[in-house]
Amino acid sequence: MKALSVLGSTGSIGTQTLEIVEEFPERFRVVALTAGRNLALLCKQVQRHQPEVVALADPALLSELRERLQALNLPRCPELVAGNEGLCQAAAWSSADLVVTGIVGCAGLLPTLAAIEAGKDLALANKETLIAAGPVVLPALERSGSRLLPADSEHSAIFQCLQGTPWADTARLSTGVPTPGLRRIQLTASGGAFRDWAAADLAKATVADATSHPNWSMGRKITVDSASLMNKGLEVIEAHYLYGVDYDHIEIVIHPQSIIHSMVELADSSVLAQLGWPDMKLPILYCLSWPERLETPWRRLDLTELGQLTFRAPDPAKYPCMDLAYSAGRAGGTMPAVLNAANEQAVALFLEERIHFLDIPKLIEAACDRHRNDLKAQPSLDDVLAMDQWARRFVRDTSSVPLAA
Ligand code: NAD
Ligand code: MG
């Protein structure tokens, strides 16, 4: 019986994790939950899973949560904590064996580090944390011996493919050390909401357009990232940190059906791929059950139903976020933190309808350009946090004046 701490339990990753726990009650139980603002759903989750601790991001909501839980007359009320400190307590909760990081954005950084310092294994969904703070997170993993199991479907696919190689036992997960014999990674991308749009039509893109993903149902931020292909750009940096492959050997392929979740090319030129319907429950389950495989009744893949799988190269002119991510990854140090924070802030402004979809890459590029002279190659946690704040402020300030065409 594995005990889970689920960070961001009310989100897309969080709720799918809890569905898995309900499907396998003899294998998994929940000891800690954390959430942002959705108290109604959180209370239902507490009632169903009876965790030992519940953390809220916003301390101002704690008394309301307490009242709502008291009204439920639970056999045992969980300990209630809040704020960054509370999130870190839940992430490092002593009875937890594995921490699922389903918080969106760099807000997940401190709880992730708290879990690592407590020696917990992690199911990493919250990619922004690794992207912003790879140079801090990787040494912390090395010190603590925590394992980072990838929940992102592409990185799970790579991880699953690597299980079939001779060095699977010794594959040092996510230490940034090159994985022996791994020559190239191909990350597949659905192409997002604008896959079938002409580049010229993106000038007309609305929030409703950008938040309707053709293949996956996810939180709003990552759905916009998929539309701009920034999600794939972030995943390139994530793959670099997880598998130690240099940026010249990580490629993006548009694969509209989202059946092949990514591929690895090995030293002898053999290519391995992992296939499945686009459903995040499978990569999440594999994090939870690894190294075992659990029997599920889930829909089985039938390629004859599909008939064909297609592939094409992404158009860098249509998706400028992709090249911005490669450049930031190659620059390293604090640059990916700036890229990530500028993107988070720009996407938030876009979702509030204060900037246009096409302004997102312009703001990110401006932030990265401005940061170039201040880049720290070996940043501390404080450097990363400071750059994250700086980039958000820079994007807010820059977006309030008219942007160059
Ligand atoms: P979501 O918006 O659906 O859920 C986010 C969760 O984090 C919610 O529980 C929310 O309450 C909480 N949260 C939001 N802001 C917070 C803050 N400031 N402090 C603490 N908690 C906060 O997002 P999601 O789609 O589940 O994505 C979560 C993470 O997983 C992201 O990093 C995303 O990139 C990654 N991911 C998601 C999917 C997917 O299918 N949804 C796939 C791959 C990776
Ligand atoms: Mg992904």
Side-chain angles (χ1 to χ4, degrees):
M1 177 74 95
K2 209 172 264 181
L4 309 182
S5 170
V6 184
L7 311 183
S9 66
T10 54
S12 162
I13 291 289
T15 50
Q16 293 181 88
T17 303
L18 295 181
E19 279 173 32
I20 294 172
V21 172
E22 293 196 25
E23 273 189 61
F24 297 94
E26 71 296 347
R27 300 293 301 236
F28 310 116
R29 69 191 179 101
V30 173
V31 292
L33 294 175
T34 85
R37 312 194 60 82
N38 189 344
L39 296 189
L41 178 56
L42 180 61
C43 286
K44 280 196 195 135
Q45 295 179 338
V46 171
Q47 196 166 25
R48 174 70 186 78
H49 294 280
Q50 308 279 325
E52 295 165 16
V53 64
V54 174
L56 271 184
D58 183 357
L61 294 175
L62 201 55
S63 55
E64 188 187 339
L65 176 65
R66 187 167 285 119
E67 280 166 24
R68 284 182 182 230
L69 288 177
Q70 273 162 0
L72 293 177
N73 285 321
L74 300 170
R76 184 190 57 167
C77 196
E79 191 169 329
L80 302 182
V81 292
N84 258 332
E85 204 178 309
L87 296 176
C88 290
Q89 272 177 277
W93 197 250
S94 62
S95 55
D97 301 308
L98 181 86
V99 180
V100 180
T101 70
I103 291 176
V104 59
C106 203
L109 174 54
L110 295 178
T112 300
L113 285 174
I116 294 172
E117 269 150 34
K120 308 293 181 192
D121 285 346
L122 292 101
L124 177 86
N126 177 218
K127 67 191 93 182
E128 294 93 339
T129 283
L130 182 62
I131 287 144
V136 176
V137 171
L138 297 183
L141 286 166
E142 188 86 53
R143 281 194 301 274
S144 80
S146 295
R147 276 184 297 231
L148 206 49
L149 300 155
D152 213 351
S153 57
E154 298 74 5
H155 306 76
S156 172
I158 296 164
F159 180 57
Q160 293 182 56
C161 292
L162 292 178
Q163 305 296 302
T165 62
W167 54 86
D169 293 346
T170 53
R172 299 166 61 203
L173 283 172
S174 54
T175 50
V177 173
T179 307
L182 174 55
R183 190 194 268 176
R184 183 169 64 132
I185 287 174
Q186 286 184 294
L187 294 174
T188 50
S190 69
F194 300 131
R195 179 179 68 204
D196 302 322
W197 286 41
D201 292 339
L202 290 180
K204 292 185 287 201
T206 64
V207 169
D209 294 329
T211 49
S212 51
H213 196 284
N215 300 0
W216 301 89
S217 159
M218 312 181 285
R220 276 160 72 80
K221 189 260 178 187
I222 186 176
T223 305
V224 176
D225 285 351
S226 298
S228 68
L229 243 66
M230 178 54 96
N231 182 49
K232 213 49 54 179
L234 297 176
E235 289 179 356
V236 167
I237 303 175
E238 184 182 9
H240 169 76
Y241 284 137
L242 286 172
Y243 301 109
V245 174
D246 67 64
Y247 288 100
D248 291 342
H249 295 92
I250 305 175
E251 290 167 15
I252 297 173
V253 185
I254 304 267
H255 167 42
Q257 297 83 10
S258 297
I259 296 296
I260 293 188
H261 297 307
S262 278
M263 295 167 265
V264 297
E265 181 186 318
L266 305 177
D268 58 3
S269 81
S270 179
V271 173
L272 308 185
Q274 185 260 334
L275 284 74
W277 297 113
D279 182 346
M280 283 304 295
K281 275 169 70 177
L282 186 55
I284 297 171
L285 174 66
Y286 192 56
C287 288
L288 269 47
S289 70
W290 179 85
E292 273 183 71
R293 294 277 186 181
L294 298 186
E295 177 87 31
T296 78
W298 299 345
R299 184 182 175 202
R300 291 162 70 183
L301 184 62
D302 178 357
L303 290 176
T304 61
E305 243 179 80
L306 283 153
Q308 60 176 356
L309 301 178
T310 58
F311 307 90
R312 63 175 187 259
D315 173 4
K318 179 173 166 186
Y319 297 115
C321 286
M322 223 171 36
D323 282 350
L324 292 173
Y326 270 100
S327 306
R330 287 193 168 98
T334 40
M335 193 60 91
V338 168
L339 173 94
N340 175 66
N343 180 58
E344 283 190 31
Q345 184 63 76
V347 170
L349 291 171
F350 169 69
L351 288 170
E352 290 164 20
E353 298 187 320
R354 288 169 52 196
I355 61 168
H356 192 270
F357 182 72
L358 293 176
D359 293 333
I360 296 173
K362 290 182 199 161
L363 289 163
I364 299 167
E365 187 171 14
C368 291
D369 282 348
R370 183 66 69 85
H371 179 61
R372 213 162 301 276
N373 291 333
D374 301 326
L375 186 147
K376 289 208 171 146
Q378 302 289 339
S380 66
L381 175 59
D382 285 345
D383 294 330
V384 169
L385 295 172
M387 283 312 127
D388 177 272
Q389 290 304 311
W390 171 83
R392 284 167 205 269
R393 210 167 41 240
F394 177 88
V395 167
R396 280 196 300 272
D397 293 349
T398 311
S399 66
S400 60
V401 293
L403 291 158

